[in-house]
Amino acid sequence: MVTTPLVPSDYLDLVSPLRAGADLRGRIEAVHPETGDAATVVIRPGRSWRGHTAGQYVRIGVDVDGVRLWRAYSITSPTNRQDGRVTITVKAIPDGRVSNHLVRRAKPGTLVQLDQPTGDFVLPLVTPTKVLYLTAGSGITPVMGMLRDIEFDDVVMVHCAPRPQDVIFRSELHDLVADKKLRLTEVHTDTDGILDIARLDELVPDWAERETWACGPAGLLDAAEGHWAEHGVQERLHTERFRPSIVVAGDGGEVTFSATGMTVDADGATPLLDIGEEAGVLMPSGCRMGICFGCVTPLKAGAVRDLRTGEITEAEPGVLIQTCVSAAAGPCDIER
Amino acid sequence: MTAIDPTAHLTAEQIEELGRELDAIRDAVIASRGEKDAAYIRKVISAQRKLELVSRGVLLFSFFPPAWLLGTAGLSVAKIMDNMEIGHNVLHGQWDWMRDPKIHSTTWEWDHVSPSEQWKHSHNELHHTYTNVIGKDNDLGYGIMRVDEDQTWHPFHLGQPLWNFINACFFEYGIAAYDLELGKNLPKRRRKNPEFRARAKAVGRKIRKQVLKDYVIHPLLSGPSFLTTLAATFTANLVRNIWTHSVIMCGHFPEGVQVFERRSIKGETRGQWYLRQMMGSANISGSRAMHFMTGNLSHQIEHHLFPDLPSNRYAEVAVKVRALFEKYELEYVTGPLPKQVVSAWHKVFRLSLPNKKPKVKTPDCEQELVAA
């Protein structure tokens, strides 16, 4: 009543945006280059931060050229860091608006929006005795969060990167090797070619006995899933995908955003989230890869196709769809 | 509507070409929107909130006359900023592109008794689509005034200078009533319409909250300064109302602004729509501070051409738009605030009296001016 039509937090945010009870935000305190195109961003999260488990990721909302964009990045700092800060390590991908901004232009002092950390690409409660990490490129980031968190008895890592200088955390990994805390195989794909999954027998002869965490591009994970299944040990493989593997769905149709009163044509391969944003509808968004459910929206009419599985969802009362991984399967009506 | 059509010298092709040139101006701004613009609106919002906080703080001591003056002035400015540069423009969706849910037309609520939702409908949808079309755009005289010779005179209009003055003082309530279409909806049958009742209820809730805040809670918080704080808040609301009313009158009412007949917009092309906005709006010239305090509605012509471009870009757009007015030999109606206010009020007085429906309106209306 004192502040109507605003709420008191609108004023408190002016002086203390990271206070307890505020919408969760963080302040960038430093950006350290890791390789030519990767950097570690040190963030002081707000007081409502609940902490993370090694291997989890966080959604971060960054204003790039004035536009708020949300992405998910793995947390690379250990869970017991004394100063309360957390780090994410970001690799700039070609044309990646957020990643390039964070690696090359982000400035200390900038506020970013945060969500609580999440994800189940984590270690079990009982630490396994024999571990294999199979990673490629920036797929090393959640694994680094684990390596920094716990000391293992027997841990092997196979990591792929184009060239030695592209290996993120290379000197830290080599230190671990020197201390005999890690056995490491680097695959330099520029010279060695893409890792043939069958080579695992030679690189890590006991791979099938190891609890394995794999993270990297879809090609590597598909190959790994196939290989582990073939040997009947798929329950030992844990994977984390950064992007959904998109099935071309065909169809498409006219999409109505009923709350905004807008109708646009959509093809069958573009996520409804992109369609909506392109049309200027305020779409809630999150990880953009189908895992955070931050974008769920009622489907009022019509049908959509899940781009990952091809599954068709038809409108029914109470049906929510994830707009980031759903495309129009014929005309549909989205309540936004 | 005007017998001497100031756009008669333009061919259909020229009008479409004009439309394309305006589209190009718009595209250039959209392509260059970015960090600086976002920083601008965030800075304005933060400054407004700080100014309001400090002013209300000062008013706690408003029994002390200098504190009263300072607090009242600060609060008046804060309220003007809230309604004009921030509220009006955010509710136009000028900042939606930032995808910040806190600064978005779907979530913004302003310090005004008309709920955002209702105002967006009557203003963004009706007024901006049917700008200056008699019978379609209720902003023309707000249903209580006659603002063009071709509107039928009624003895009720004799009092319109008085209605207009009262409307200026309680402008936010006038707008709320206008958004509710009270005149149309008060007859018994309409009053029972559930949709109208829901909207009236929403307005009632908003009024209750605003009144409670301004005239009960903050005076009570001031303790011994209860009465002086009450007077200060009332004054600030009065100042804000008169100021916004004046600015808005200057947008469409000064002499030289055209109004249009219903049938003239049938099958209107994009070029013709642009042309109507150009001829139906008027600017206020002045300093940067003046533009800021009007919420950049001093660039009313540019605002009507591009209602969803960020307000901080209207000044640069105005240079290009004005060049187009010259190129196409059209009159760019503008002038300093006092001149435009006088001009608009003059029209209100003049048209409070009946006039012979002119077959051909002469550009020189001296005789009618004398009559007024």
Side-chain angles (χ1 to χ4, degrees), chain B residues 114 170 199 222 225 237 273 290:
Chain B
S114 179
F170 300 98
R199 291 197 299 129
S222 307
S225 297
N237 279 329
W273 183 86
M290 167 69 90

mmCIF file of all heavy atoms in Angstrom, chain B residues 114 170 199 222 225 237 273 290:
data_model
loop_
_atom_site.group_PDB
_atom_site.id
_atom_site.type_symbol
_atom_site.label_atom_id
_atom_site.label_comp_id
_atom_site.label_asym_id
_atom_site.label_seq_id
_atom_site.Cartn_x
_atom_site.Cartn_y
_atom_site.Cartn_z
ATOM 1 N N SER B 114 -6.242 5.019 -13.801
ATOM 2 C CA SER B 114 -6.679 4.111 -14.858
ATOM 3 C C SER B 114 -5.736 2.906 -14.901
ATOM 4 O O SER B 114 -4.539 3.059 -15.097
ATOM 5 C CB SER B 114 -6.671 4.819 -16.210
ATOM 6 O OG SER B 114 -7.069 3.906 -17.205
ATOM 7 N N PHE B 170 -8.354 17.270 -12.777
ATOM 8 C CA PHE B 170 -8.538 15.881 -12.316
ATOM 9 C C PHE B 170 -8.322 14.933 -13.487
ATOM 10 O O PHE B 170 -9.056 13.964 -13.672
ATOM 11 C CB PHE B 170 -9.940 15.720 -11.710
ATOM 12 C CG PHE B 170 -10.144 16.642 -10.549
ATOM 13 C CD1 PHE B 170 -10.803 17.859 -10.710
ATOM 14 C CD2 PHE B 170 -9.619 16.321 -9.303
ATOM 15 C CE1 PHE B 170 -10.948 18.727 -9.645
ATOM 16 C CE2 PHE B 170 -9.766 17.190 -8.228
ATOM 17 C CZ PHE B 170 -10.433 18.400 -8.395
ATOM 18 N N ARG B 199 -14.650 -4.071 -15.288
ATOM 19 C CA ARG B 199 -13.660 -3.001 -15.543
ATOM 20 C C ARG B 199 -13.842 -1.871 -14.546
ATOM 21 O O ARG B 199 -12.873 -1.288 -14.057
ATOM 22 C CB ARG B 199 -13.792 -2.508 -16.987
ATOM 23 C CG ARG B 199 -13.322 -3.583 -17.980
ATOM 24 C CD ARG B 199 -13.041 -3.012 -19.341
ATOM 25 N NE ARG B 199 -14.219 -2.416 -19.935
ATOM 26 C CZ ARG B 199 -14.237 -1.188 -20.445
ATOM 27 N NH1 ARG B 199 -13.141 -0.465 -20.468
ATOM 28 N NH2 ARG B 199 -15.345 -0.709 -20.967
ATOM 29 N N SER B 222 3.597 10.766 8.237
ATOM 30 C CA SER B 222 4.253 12.044 8.534
ATOM 31 C C SER B 222 3.914 12.566 9.927
ATOM 32 O O SER B 222 4.465 13.581 10.347
ATOM 33 C CB SER B 222 3.840 13.114 7.516
ATOM 34 O OG SER B 222 4.070 12.650 6.221
ATOM 35 N N SER B 225 3.121 16.194 10.561
ATOM 36 C CA SER B 225 3.008 16.856 9.258
ATOM 37 C C SER B 225 1.826 16.323 8.462
ATOM 38 O O SER B 225 1.781 16.459 7.239
ATOM 39 C CB SER B 225 4.289 16.655 8.446
ATOM 40 O OG SER B 225 5.376 17.253 9.091
ATOM 41 N N ASN B 237 -0.343 15.913 -7.290
ATOM 42 C CA ASN B 237 -1.261 15.289 -8.247
ATOM 43 C C ASN B 237 -1.881 16.338 -9.169
ATOM 44 O O ASN B 237 -2.050 16.109 -10.362
ATOM 45 C CB ASN B 237 -2.364 14.521 -7.510
ATOM 46 C CG ASN B 237 -1.885 13.149 -7.060
ATOM 47 O OD1 ASN B 237 -1.031 12.539 -7.713
ATOM 48 N ND2 ASN B 237 -2.395 12.676 -5.943
ATOM 49 N N TRP B 273 -2.021 6.020 -44.059
ATOM 50 C CA TRP B 273 -2.077 5.973 -42.585
ATOM 51 C C TRP B 273 -1.001 6.894 -42.009
ATOM 52 O O TRP B 273 -1.248 7.702 -41.127
ATOM 53 C CB TRP B 273 -1.871 4.537 -42.100
ATOM 54 C CG TRP B 273 -1.987 4.396 -40.603
ATOM 55 C CD1 TRP B 273 -3.137 4.200 -39.899
ATOM 56 C CD2 TRP B 273 -0.931 4.467 -39.635
ATOM 57 N NE1 TRP B 273 -2.867 4.128 -38.557
ATOM 58 C CE2 TRP B 273 -1.524 4.292 -38.365
ATOM 59 C CE3 TRP B 273 0.454 4.657 -39.713
ATOM 60 C CZ2 TRP B 273 -0.780 4.301 -37.177
ATOM 61 C CZ3 TRP B 273 1.190 4.672 -38.542
ATOM 62 C CH2 TRP B 273 0.582 4.493 -37.292
ATOM 63 N N MET B 290 12.615 20.030 -21.587
ATOM 64 C CA MET B 290 11.200 20.106 -21.950
ATOM 65 C C MET B 290 10.740 18.796 -22.602
ATOM 66 O O MET B 290 9.705 18.235 -22.252
ATOM 67 C CB MET B 290 11.000 21.292 -22.904
ATOM 68 C CG MET B 290 9.663 21.307 -23.585
ATOM 69 S SD MET B 290 8.342 21.659 -22.432
ATOM 70 C CE MET B 290 8.297 23.417 -22.563
#
